[in-house]
Amino acid sequence: MLPGHADRKGTVAACEGSLRRLRAERLDLYLLHWRGRWPLEETLAGFTDLVEAGKIRYWGVSNLDVADLVELTTLPAATPWPSTRCCTTSPGAASSGIRSPGAVRPE
């Protein structure tokens, strides 16, 4: 999902649009591609709505800065962790204390 759609309602609407275009009922993984102007809390609320509605199985993020990943770990909606591995190439990441939570295996 592009960050311009990343508020709670926009997250849900963007996913529903993707489902229509793909002619699918559910996505296994739905990603926020990078952070935009919306608070991460808004995006996670949309992801939670989608999981509860059965429209996505897991959510994830990509291209976030270390500070954004640290913020993500403080949000209640961020647990359980998203199903993607956190692979960072940022020079400051090793000293940030961020560790990959690992991938969540489907039931």
Side-chain angles (χ1 to χ4, degrees):
M1 171 184 61
L2 295 173
H5 304 287
D7 66 324
R8 186 177 192 157
K9 288 182 181 181
T11 298
V12 172
C15 181
E16 289 172 342
S18 294
L19 289 169
R20 272 192 307 279
R21 287 187 299 278
L22 293 167
R23 297 181 183 151
E25 294 180 11
R26 181 180 70 179
L27 299 175
D28 287 332
L29 178 63
Y30 197 54
L31 289 175
L32 172 66
H33 289 292
W34 62 86
R35 186 162 188 180
R37 64 183 173 151
W38 300 105
L40 288 173
E41 196 167 20
E42 280 280 309
T43 307
L44 296 188
F47 285 157
T48 299
D49 292 345
L50 290 164
V51 168
E52 290 174 355
K55 294 182 180 182
I56 64 171
R57 198 162 179 195
Y58 300 107
W59 59 269
V61 296
S62 63
N63 302 310
L64 279 122
D65 294 332
V66 171
D68 295 329
L69 289 172
V70 169
E71 179 185 341
L72 183 68
T73 66
T74 68
L75 300 174
T79 54
W81 273 88
S83 63
T84 56
R85 287 201 177 268
C86 173
C87 301
T88 181
T89 57
S90 171
S95 63
S96 71
I98 292 178
R99 300 287 182 264
S100 172
V104 176
R105 302 188 94 184
E107 296 89 47

